[in-house]
Amino acid sequence: MPQRLSTYLKKTYGEKVYRLSLSSGCSCPNRDNGTGGCTFCSEGGSGEFAIDADNPDICDSIERAKEIIRKKTDARKFIAYFQSYTNTYGDVNRLKELYKKAISQDEIVALSLGTRPDCVGPEVMEMLKELNSIKPVWVELGLQTINEETALRVNRGYSLPVFDDAYKRLKEAGIIVIVHVILGLPGESKADMFETVQYLSDLTPPLDGIKLQNLQILKGTRMYEEYLENPADFKIMSMEEYTDLVAECIALLPKETVVHRMTGDGPRKLLVDPLWSLDKKRVINMLAKKVQIE
Ligand code: SF4
């Protein structure tokens, strides 16, 4: 059966590993191209928790992020985690220097970069290979769905073959790949969502990691406008429905796939629907009862 991220990290690093949410200062081509980006994407670029977004000194940001975690824990190992926006979009030399600095400390055990499959060209691949020879590199790809109609509707801005090609090249380069999927996108049936998860389960080589999350309507997004105009278009699941669905999706995954996330993580102040996802503890407890996972 698939395993949770916490289990994987403990097995791999012998203890609990904490993520430091950092900012690379990158933007996103899907927002810069004038089409407004993915319709569900909030101002923070789908990751509002990065520390010191404007601080040019990455070592300083890392220290501050560590301090925050150490107030509550005795953390000793960390992942340098760049989630917001597209962290391979920009000047490759600048990014290489930034990420090298980030992973130079002994306490940083891995580098995690959120990006898009259309932003891993040859130069970026060379950078990733070089970084991966220093510390393991995880690349997180925001696929969300394999359904091309939905992808167009949410303005994802690339087609499935672009994902397939990026996946193949990243795996050939020895990079750990994690794919994001949103469950409950407008117009999608349960069968559509299973189709996406099954597609990912059938990838060769097997998918390293998956992040599942429920669709969250966030203030300030284009999707929020659509939701206000046409609420009937959005079939927002109840907590029971969602947790049942996650259990079924995880049952489709191969044992090699690590589950990094099972629920939405949108910022409290922006979340409009479903409000049950604010009660993370309850969602996690319900998932724990239903999901077969190590
Ligand atoms: S690719 Fe990511 S950052 Fe860019 S618009 Fe989509 S969700 Fe936002």
Side-chain angles (χ1 to χ4, degrees), residues 24-58:
S24 66
C26 289
S27 172
C28 170
N30 204 28
R31 296 172 71 105
D32 288 355
N33 67 8
T35 65
C38 305
T39 62
F40 51 82
C41 181
S42 60
E43 213 31 61
S46 287
E48 328 307 287
F49 310 106
I51 189 158
D52 284 354
D54 299 324
N55 188 349
D57 184 347
I58 193 66

Side-chain angles (χ1 to χ4, degrees), residues 34-291:
T35 65
C38 305
T39 62
F40 51 82
C41 181
S42 60
E43 213 31 61
S46 287
E48 328 307 287
F49 310 106
I51 189 158
D52 284 354
D54 299 324
N55 188 349
D57 184 347
I58 193 66
C59 296
D60 188 42
S61 294
I62 288 176
E63 285 316 311
R64 283 165 45 76
K66 276 189 206 164
E67 262 170 44
I68 295 171
I69 293 175
R70 281 182 174 150
K71 275 187 188 146
K72 297 182 226 152
T73 69
D74 58 353
R76 290 183 307 177
K77 291 185 180 172
F78 304 92
I79 295 165
Y81 183 53
F82 296 83
Q83 185 186 27
S84 313
Y85 301 103
T86 301
N87 294 288
T88 57
Y89 172 61
D91 181 80
V92 176
N93 290 328
R94 178 187 82 82
L95 291 174
K96 197 193 319 187
E97 201 188 321
L98 176 83
Y99 298 141
K100 270 190 172 171
K101 254 192 208 164
I103 58 178
S104 63
Q105 302 181 12
D106 289 346
E107 291 169 311
I108 304 288
V109 296
L111 172 71
S112 178
L113 302 175
T115 189
R116 298 169 50 85
D118 56 359
C119 290
V120 286
E123 259 191 291
V124 168
M125 285 301 306
E126 283 313 307
M127 170 184 79
L128 296 175
K129 279 188 212 167
E130 194 177 327
L131 294 168
N132 198 41
S133 70
I134 305 169
K135 296 270 168 81
V137 174
W138 303 1
V139 165
E140 302 199 8
L141 299 175
L143 177 68
Q144 322 307 354
T145 177
I146 62 155
N147 186 299
E148 299 285 32
E149 213 177 295
T150 315
L152 276 177
R153 178 165 179 179
V154 301
N155 195 38
R156 188 183 63 193
Y158 66 84
S159 62
L160 187 58
V162 176
F163 166 81
D164 290 336
D165 175 55
Y167 184 77
K168 188 169 161 271
R169 288 182 297 110
L170 286 164
K171 288 313 302 165
E172 279 167 3
I175 307 288
I176 291 178
V177 180
I178 296 133
V179 175
H180 293 213
V181 172
I182 297 180
L183 300 171
L185 286 168
E188 289 215 337
S189 63
K190 246 172 122 175
D192 291 321
M193 298 177 227
F194 289 144
E195 211 180 325
T196 292
V197 177
Q198 189 61 58
Y199 186 87
L200 294 173
S201 304
D202 292 340
L203 286 172
T204 316
L207 179 62
D208 301 298
I210 192 166
K211 279 189 174 177
L212 296 170
Q213 73 161 92
N214 54 308
L215 178 69
Q216 294 190 314
I217 310 289
L218 301 178
K219 274 184 209 153
T221 61
R222 277 166 66 201
M223 196 172 268
Y224 178 51
E225 304 295 319
E226 291 171 19
Y227 170 84
L228 291 178
E229 270 168 37
N230 221 339
D233 245 18
F234 291 82
K235 294 189 182 61
I236 304 289
M237 285 176 266
S238 67
M239 193 191 297
E240 287 71 19
E241 286 170 324
Y242 178 70
T243 48
D244 283 344
L245 181 68
V246 170
E248 286 184 78
C249 288
I250 288 180
L252 296 174
L253 295 171
K255 64 176 185 348
E256 294 88 346
T257 304
V258 175
V259 179
H260 287 235
R261 184 196 284 167
M262 291 191 270
T263 182
D265 213 3
R268 247 187 145 72
K269 60 180 192 304
L270 298 182
L271 183 69
V272 178
D273 205 8
L275 291 176
W276 57 255
S277 64
L278 290 175
D279 194 349
K280 234 176 154 187
K281 215 169 165 189
R282 227 179 115 217
V283 183
I284 289 170
N285 284 341
M286 199 175 276
L287 285 166
K289 284 186 195 137
K290 296 181 182 181
V291 175

